[in-house]
Amino acid sequence: MSDNSLTITDNRNGRTYEIAITHDTIRAMDLRQIKVNPDDFGLMSYDPAFKNTASTISEITFIDGDKGILRYRGYPIEQLAKNCTFLEVAYLIIAGVLPTKAELEEYDGFIQRHILVHENIKDLIQGFRYDAHPMSMLISMVSALSTFYPGARNVDNPDNRQLQMTRLVAKMPTLAAFAYRFSMGYPIIYPDPDLSYAGNFLNMMFRRAEPKYIPDPVLERTLDVLFILHADHEQNCGTNAMRSVGSSRVDPYSATAAAAAALYGPLHGGANEAVLRMLYDIGGVENVPAYIERVKAGEFRLMGFGHRVYKNHDPRATIIKEMAHEVFEVTGKNPLLDIALELETIALEDEYFVSRKLYPNVDFYSGIIYQAMGLPMTMFPVMFAIPRTVGWLAQWQELITDSEQAIARPRQIYLGNDLMEYVPIDKRG
Ligand code: ACO
């Protein structure tokens, strides 16, 4: 018997089975052999919400939640945020290696070439109601891209995959800015090829009548770093949607629309909006202690605190907090910052939060920064979707090229009716 194995005794019939353990994991399919009768289906594992199920072997992102570690392709997030541009990190996440100078210049050129969207997208936008949520518009526009690029369906061709991934990374900021401008009633602004990825996004969002938009360097760099911090986070809800939908071999635009739809939910990409609403509710620093007492009494949760994976600090939150002060020197201080700082100070010393390992997460400060930059709360999930597209695409590519993967199709435990006899409608009830 191998040391790296699990011995299971089936107490229904006394039989034992030896199951291999690899990477601290057993293969669920190895349970299938465990049967009482030869025609039984075999044993399954039950795991709603995949709380203890690995759905893939991946080489993209590493998280150690107990130690507060996040790495893309092995590189610590702190080093990437300090030294790289977002496009450099996008290249790293998708290609698996950091680009050389020449490779980065070439990638930047590809992105610039694909940054525009078909003019008919503007007509699509005009079809929305004046108060349509920007994230709903973004999801629809991403999905619509599959109609403009029907060749994207050929997902098994590596060159074709590369082309579609570049297109999507390039077009996301353009679509996001279109959604914002429409919701504000502003005319659409076209991309400026002289600007960086983040700088151009600021241009498409905020340019008014000036002949040339010059982004503030602090805001441009902050946005770039925020994009780096949000680029991937292994198998979260949106990524799981990307992989699950992509496993049907649908085109990447349709799969990305599904991933963005998952991100739209308040339990996922909507948390930084919830943080802002909470800070408004609290109203002032003097109200923080009473608010904390209500959280401890179980009335509600402290939004932006706690994480399913990070049971130590969230490394992204540490980086964002440092940047917040630089941003406020440009934009003027967001009055909500004092409330947030007070909340954090009290919570980090309080036994309730300490014993439950509740620390500020990435969303605690990102909303305050986005608001200071002039973004409405409805744009927050959109700001998340732009960089996360890189992670979704890298994970999609990994799925498509993984020979162990097949169409995602979970099992169920059926507890509904036994066989029923059809009853004509006039005989029912
Ligand atoms: N405020 C107060 N108490 C909390 C909080 C919080 N934010 N989060 C967890 N707890 C408490 C729970 O009440 C529970 O206490 P108990 O043991 O006395 O019952 C304990 O901590 C464990 O909570 P779980 O719900 O089991 O923790 P889980 O890891 O499943 O939840 C989650 C993680 C959903 C993020 C949670 O911490 C939360 O709701 N936080 C607020 C929402 C938020 O900020 N979400 C953004 C996450 S980051 C992102 O999505 C990018």
Side-chain angles (χ1 to χ4, degrees):
M1 188 191 306
S2 152
D3 280 353
N4 252 346
S5 68
L6 184 74
T7 301
I8 298 178
T9 303
D10 186 343
N11 292 322
R12 296 172 299 179
N13 55 16
R15 273 194 216 132
T16 62
Y17 302 82
E18 197 186 329
I19 309 252
I21 299 177
T22 318
H23 310 299
D24 290 333
T25 306
I26 60 162
R27 286 185 174 258
M29 277 304 283
D30 285 349
L31 300 176
R32 188 70 74 74
Q33 61 184 305
I34 303 176
K35 302 178 179 189
V36 175
N37 301 305
D39 56 351
D40 282 352
F41 182 76
L43 207 66
M44 296 189 298
S45 62
Y46 176 57
D47 187 11
F50 305 120
K51 286 189 179 171
N52 196 37
T53 294
S55 63
T56 188
I57 293 173
S58 182
E59 297 180 351
I60 300 171
T61 291
F62 172 77
I63 300 174
D64 184 331
D66 291 330
K67 296 196 182 120
I69 292 175
L70 169 62
R71 294 180 198 142
Y72 299 151
R73 302 283 187 183
Y75 295 93
I77 191 69
E78 294 80 3
Q79 288 184 21
L80 297 174
K82 188 163 176 236
N83 301 304
C84 293
T85 63
F86 173 67
L87 281 188
E88 206 175 341
V89 172
Y91 186 104
L92 169 71
I93 291 176
I94 291 174
V97 290
L98 280 170
T100 62
K101 199 162 181 294
E103 285 166 342
L104 184 58
E105 274 169 22
E106 187 185 47
Y107 186 53
D108 194 46
F110 287 151
I111 294 290
Q112 292 288 0
R113 198 176 310 157
H114 291 290
I115 210 159
L116 284 167
V117 294
H118 195 287
E119 280 292 288
N120 287 4
I121 287 278
K122 282 181 15 193
D123 298 335
L124 181 73
I125 278 222
Q126 294 302 329
F128 289 112
R129 248 177 69 133
Y130 68 96
D131 58 353
H133 195 291
M135 190 64 173
S136 303
M137 290 192 270
L138 180 75
I139 294 166
S140 307
M141 287 187 282
V142 171
S143 167
L145 286 184
S146 74
T147 68
F148 295 100
Y149 307 111
R153 267 177 256 160
N154 184 6
V155 299
D156 291 312
N157 179 307
D159 292 337
N160 189 38
R161 277 201 306 270
Q162 204 57 46
L163 171 64
Q164 310 310 332
M165 288 193 290
T166 306
R167 271 191 182 138
L168 250 171
V169 173
K171 291 181 198 311
M172 281 305 270
T174 312
L175 297 177
F178 275 22
Y180 169 75
R181 304 280 304 191
F182 175 79
S183 64
M184 300 298 288
Y186 299 155
I188 298 293
I189 298 289
Y190 285 90
D192 179 343
D194 294 340
L195 296 175
S196 72
Y197 191 83
N200 184 44
F201 179 63
L202 291 170
N203 161 58
M204 292 188 289
M205 292 282 290
F206 298 124
R207 186 168 151 205
R208 296 283 169 95
E210 64 270 43
K212 180 140 182 104
Y213 180 86
I214 313 282
D216 179 279
V218 172
L219 300 188
E220 184 181 5
R221 178 63 192 152
T222 301
L223 191 59
D224 215 41
V225 173
L226 282 166
F227 283 171
I228 291 172
L229 300 182
H230 286 90
D232 194 51
H233 214 235
E234 52 119 307
Q235 308 309 314
N236 52 80
C237 179
T239 303
N240 184 58
M242 182 83 190
R243 281 180 171 266
S244 186
V245 173
S247 76
S248 74
R249 291 302 208 255
V250 75
D251 68 88
Y253 302 102
S254 302
T256 302
L263 186 69
Y264 190 12
L267 296 186
H268 195 4
N272 48 10
E273 178 178 341
V275 171
L276 276 203
R277 293 195 191 285
M278 173 187 76
L279 296 175
Y280 279 123
D281 267 1
I282 295 173
V285 173
E286 65 286 1
N287 302 327
V288 168
Y291 194 85
I292 294 259
E293 287 311 313
R294 292 177 70 192
V295 170
K296 286 161 63 178
E299 277 189 53
F300 35 68
R301 290 189 168 198
L302 195 54
M303 299 316 289
F305 259 69
H307 197 279
R308 171 63 60 76
V309 179
Y310 295 115
K311 298 303 175 192
N312 194 313
H313 70 283
D314 178 339
R316 302 167 299 175
T318 313
I319 298 169
I320 291 188
K321 188 180 169 186
E322 279 168 20
M323 286 186 330
H325 296 288
E326 292 170 35
V327 169
F328 297 143
E329 273 177 30
V330 177
T331 61
K333 197 165 94 185
N334 186 333
L336 298 176
L337 178 68
D338 286 337
I339 305 175
L341 287 171
E342 182 72 0
L343 262 182
E344 184 183 345
T345 308
I346 296 185
L348 288 182
E349 287 169 357
D350 192 295
E351 205 279 327
Y352 176 95
F353 297 91
V354 174
S355 64
R356 289 171 179 76
K357 300 185 174 175
L358 300 171
Y359 295 86
N361 59 47
V362 68
D363 288 322
F364 193 64
Y365 286 104
S366 63
I368 306 178
I369 294 182
Y370 284 141
Q371 194 188 46
M373 284 179 166
L375 288 159
M377 281 189 261
T378 50
M379 277 298 284
F380 292 179
V382 173
M383 300 303 291
F384 199 154
I386 297 170
R388 185 52 61 83
T389 298
V390 166
W392 290 332
L393 291 168
Q395 301 269 354
W396 168 76
Q397 174 172 247
E398 196 174 64
L399 167 103
I400 296 287
T401 52
D402 181 347
S403 59
E404 272 203 316
Q405 292 288 346
I407 186 163
R409 202 312 186 176
R411 297 282 173 180
Q412 64 167 11
I413 299 169
Y414 177 71
L415 294 179
N417 289 333
D418 280 339
L419 182 62
M420 302 285 285
E421 190 73 35
Y422 174 78
V423 181
I425 196 160
D426 54 347
K427 302 249 166 55
R428 285 176 216 160

